[in-house]
Amino acid sequence: MLFPTLEFGIFFLIVFTIGWSLRASPEGRKYFLVGASYLFYGWWDWRFTGLLFATTLINYLAGLALGRLSRPGLRKLVVGLTVVVDLGVLAFFKYYGFFLTSLDEVLTALGLHRDLPFLEIILPIGISFFTFQGISYVVDVYRGHIAAERSLLDVMLFKSFFPQLVAGPIVRAADFIPQINAPARLTREHVAIGTVLVLTGLAKKMVIANYLATELVDPVFFDPTAVGALDLLVGIYGYAVQIYCDFSGYSDIAIGIAALLGYRFRENFDQPYRASSLQDFWRRWHISLSTWLRDYLYIPLGGSRYGEAKTYRNLFLTMFLGGIWHGAAWTFVVWGAFHGAMLGLERFVRAKLDELAPPHADEEGLLTKIGNFAQHVVGIVWTFHLVCFAWIFFRSDSFGTALDYLKGFADWTGSHDHATPFLVGLVALGLFFQFTPRNLGRELALSIRALPAPLLGLLLGAGILVIWAAAPEGVAPFIYFQF
């Protein structure tokens, strides 16, 4: 069930109406929301609701065991086994085919070809996201950050809550479970923020992302050798805007829907293309994933606590594994490895420049301010193009396609049929909004929160109709559904 569809609109109206009619019965509301969430997930393929429940039950029982055990060795064993099971399930569905295909190629190249047990495996939608949520819950209980949850119903709602189930944001139990146990209350602020986020998310996805995908990015990446260098350049800029609008649009809708149901999710994107360094970019892009990787991978590896060499290693391993998380393909491996290597190089260069920089006599002087501003602008341009270079591998369907894309920049004499004024304008518009005031959406929400409820509902409905009319035909799935 996709967000920008009539069937989801009807589904949400029913959930909204019944959900708020049950606000006087907290347990009844939880049961209803869990049922609605499982219906939402099962709408795609009902068989995988059993997988969702099984992993939830494992995480719940592990949490209970950790809450009762006091011996450090046993606690480590429980958390270790649970994480292994969670990651094992994820690895089987996501990487089994990739592993066997790669092994088959290696054995064939060595003249040792064997018949391997290939299986046709369907990747459960959203498995990466609810797996990471389960791991974070168990690890947080182990670390003592949260108490073990005694209610299986609460853990089920935490892992299955439908707005964020299939493509995030990755919600932490410490943020969400206290909200579902608090009295349900729908405020004007909730409604105003939800309205603004749903409309902006739909506009990003249905208009900007879908037009760029169908008329620019998909044709250019389908066969990079058939288009000119200008189309390739605009195409990769277009993909940078497309994936941002697609994914941040989903996050906006998810956060907005949660707000309309009375729950608050944290921001997942913060104008990432205005970042002046790769480190800054990863503080702004897919924040729930980057903080998850930091808290549950980078810091346990040692973070930056054991010297520069190990810090570089930990940065590389974190991004390398983050690349593998995105998909079972060598292109994602290269994407993650590139970001890991460049983060380490950036850290090294910054440290050397700090050592060489002379002390400033006047930190507030005009020349210093101009120099800092110029350095900031150069950093934004440089970081954006590093990210775009890596996006080529992320978007390409194979390593060969990515290399063909890069080779195409050697010839600027070809046609540029796809770089139309309309599409270039959409790219420019997407980049323009990276540099607007970061609290613009909240200010807009504050300006409409005093409107009567019927008028807010009318505004939401009219906005959806306008966006629907402006969007291209068809409903494209969100990019991150495949992860």
Side-chain angles (χ1 to χ4, degrees), residues 10-23:
I10 295 171
F11 167 80
F12 179 70
L13 284 176
I14 295 171
V15 171
F16 181 85
T17 302
I18 298 178
W20 283 112
S21 70
L22 293 171
R23 62 184 177 275

Side-chain angles (χ1 to χ4, degrees), residues 264-278:
R264 179 182 176 273
F265 289 169
R266 294 188 181 186
E267 184 180 44
N268 204 30
F269 287 85
D270 181 17
Q271 299 175 305
Y273 293 138
R274 72 184 299 167
S276 58
S277 67
L278 275 183

Side-chain angles (χ1 to χ4, degrees), residues 223-243:
D223 185 5
T225 62
V227 298
L230 182 59
D231 276 351
L232 294 175
L233 182 64
V234 176
I236 192 54
Y237 290 162
Y239 183 66
V241 174
Q242 180 208 343
I243 192 171

Side-chain angles (χ1 to χ4, degrees), residues 280-296:
D280 189 25
F281 174 80
W282 282 107
R283 288 173 178 158
R284 297 168 175 269
W285 178 273
H286 199 351
I287 298 169
S288 63
L289 174 62
S290 58
T291 54
W292 194 100
L293 291 172
R294 179 197 66 198
D295 294 344
Y296 302 103

Side-chain angles (χ1 to χ4, degrees), residues 389-440:
F389 174 81
W391 282 143
I392 294 173
F393 293 91
F394 191 93
R395 173 59 180 80
S396 297
D397 57 9
S398 69
F399 198 73
T401 300
L403 293 180
D404 286 340
Y405 205 104
L406 293 172
K407 290 175 185 177
F409 288 115
D411 181 13
W412 288 81
T413 61
S415 63
H416 51 272
D417 300 330
H418 298 288
T420 64
F422 171 69
L423 295 173
V424 171
L426 279 184
V427 173
L429 181 65
L431 294 176
F432 168 77
F433 280 110
Q434 300 291 301
F435 298 93
T436 55
R438 69 179 305 272
N439 60 344
L440 182 63

